[in-house]
Amino acid sequence: MDGDDTPAHGDSTAAMLREAAAVGPFFALRTGGAGPRAEGYVPLGAVYRTVDGRAAPPLLARIDAVATTLRTDERRVAASLVFQGLAARLWSLALAPAALHGRVPELRPDRLWWNPARMAPDDLWHPDPLRVHGEPAGLAGQLAQTAYVHLRPLHHAVRAACPVSGRLLWGNAASALAGSLRVLHDWCRAQGRGDAADRATALVHTLFQTPPLSDTGTLTTAPLSFRRRTCCLYYRVPGGGLCGDCVLHRIPRAERGAGHSGGG
């Protein structure tokens, strides 16, 4: 999946980013400017780094902040949702340009900055000139390359932060991708961009045919829906429930009214 990277030039890049951002906040990327560190941002490459098997402080701080916000004492639940939130942003930033413009931005972990204090959606900033992938990998390959250069080290880092199933996390990545597809697909149809809606669906279908997403669930296209084979654990949050694509059809009996504090 290695392709030559090419600069994304001025007006065409700005138009690509503007149209992607119009889809919704998960598809928007802050670009240009200077001083992300001074505003509390850290490069995602540093967030993914583990030292002596321990996750980086910004990732641990985000997990703890999410646990506090959700009022759960299960750090693995918060870790699961932190992973899914970032995955949704990363997929969205790559998928919309691919579908709408046939180009995939190169979002290297050392050049994409994240603010761990800002949530829903995760706040991402690319201050350096943006580049797009070259042609050899094809759109699906470029899309995978842009996403997995983040998701694989993030997967490792989250599991270093606390015990959480690796299979569950890849299920979260699949759910995040399917969610990005649904939003983009509906927007494209509403804008009369059936070509882009079909391209997005085809790209995501290809990604679901290959590891690590190939055993995470079932994507159907008529109508567009996804059913995963794992659970993100949101039902264990006080007041939480089951997501629309969850493998579970009902909250396990032992968890009902129990405050969701046990294992699962």
Side-chain angles (χ1 to χ4, degrees):
M1 288 188 296
D2 293 330
D4 295 331
D5 301 318
T6 57
H9 297 290
D11 292 343
S12 62
T13 303
M16 178 180 74
L17 295 176
R18 278 196 305 271
E19 188 169 23
V23 178
F26 275 80
F27 298 81
L29 176 65
R30 181 179 179 181
T31 58
R37 196 178 300 277
E39 294 190 31
Y41 291 76
V42 292
L44 279 171
V47 174
Y48 306 150
R49 195 169 299 130
T50 59
V51 178
D52 296 328
R54 181 171 171 80
L59 180 59
L60 292 170
R62 168 56 75 87
I63 291 171
D64 288 340
V66 169
T68 298
T69 298
L70 298 177
R71 297 180 292 113
T72 178
D73 58 1
E74 290 190 88
R75 294 183 77 245
R76 70 188 182 114
V77 175
S80 168
L81 299 178
V82 167
F83 181 93
Q84 186 155 346
L86 263 172
R89 286 288 275 132
L90 294 163
W91 283 125
S92 298
L93 292 178
L95 182 60
L100 294 167
H101 292 269
R103 304 161 74 200
V104 180
E106 183 199 44
L107 302 171
R108 286 174 41 181
D110 60 336
R111 295 183 180 178
L112 187 60
W113 294 65
W114 176 65
N115 192 319
R118 300 180 183 175
M119 306 184 202
D122 290 84
D123 192 0
L124 298 178
W125 182 1
H126 195 286
D128 297 327
L130 195 67
R131 302 178 71 86
V132 295
H133 287 291
E135 289 301 319
L139 272 184
Q142 294 164 23
L143 180 57
Q145 185 174 346
T146 287
Y148 288 134
V149 75
H150 290 271
L151 294 179
R152 292 186 187 279
L154 177 62
H155 185 277
H156 175 76
V158 168
R159 298 196 72 201
C162 64
V164 60
S165 164
R167 183 168 177 263
L168 179 155
L169 293 180
W170 286 126
N172 286 4
S175 178
L177 177 57
S180 295
L181 172 61
R182 282 193 297 270
V183 173
L184 178 60
H185 182 275
D186 290 350
W187 184 88
C188 289
R189 292 293 184 192
Q191 300 296 315
R193 292 293 308 274
D195 60 328
D198 292 343
R199 186 179 302 118
T201 302
L203 287 169
V204 172
H205 185 267
T206 297
L207 291 173
F208 273 107
Q209 303 308 303
T210 56
L213 301 188
S214 53
D215 192 38
T216 55
T218 302
L219 178 74
T220 55
T221 57
L224 186 62
S225 66
F226 176 68
R227 174 69 66 177
R228 60 185 290 174
R229 297 193 176 103
T230 55
C231 171
C232 72
L233 305 177
Y234 179 68
Y235 78 90
R236 301 182 69 84
V237 172
L242 299 180
C243 303
D245 63 359
C246 188
V247 66
L248 302 176
H249 295 284
R250 60 181 63 86
I251 294 175
R253 186 180 301 275
E255 304 297 334
R256 297 176 190 172
H260 309 326
S261 60

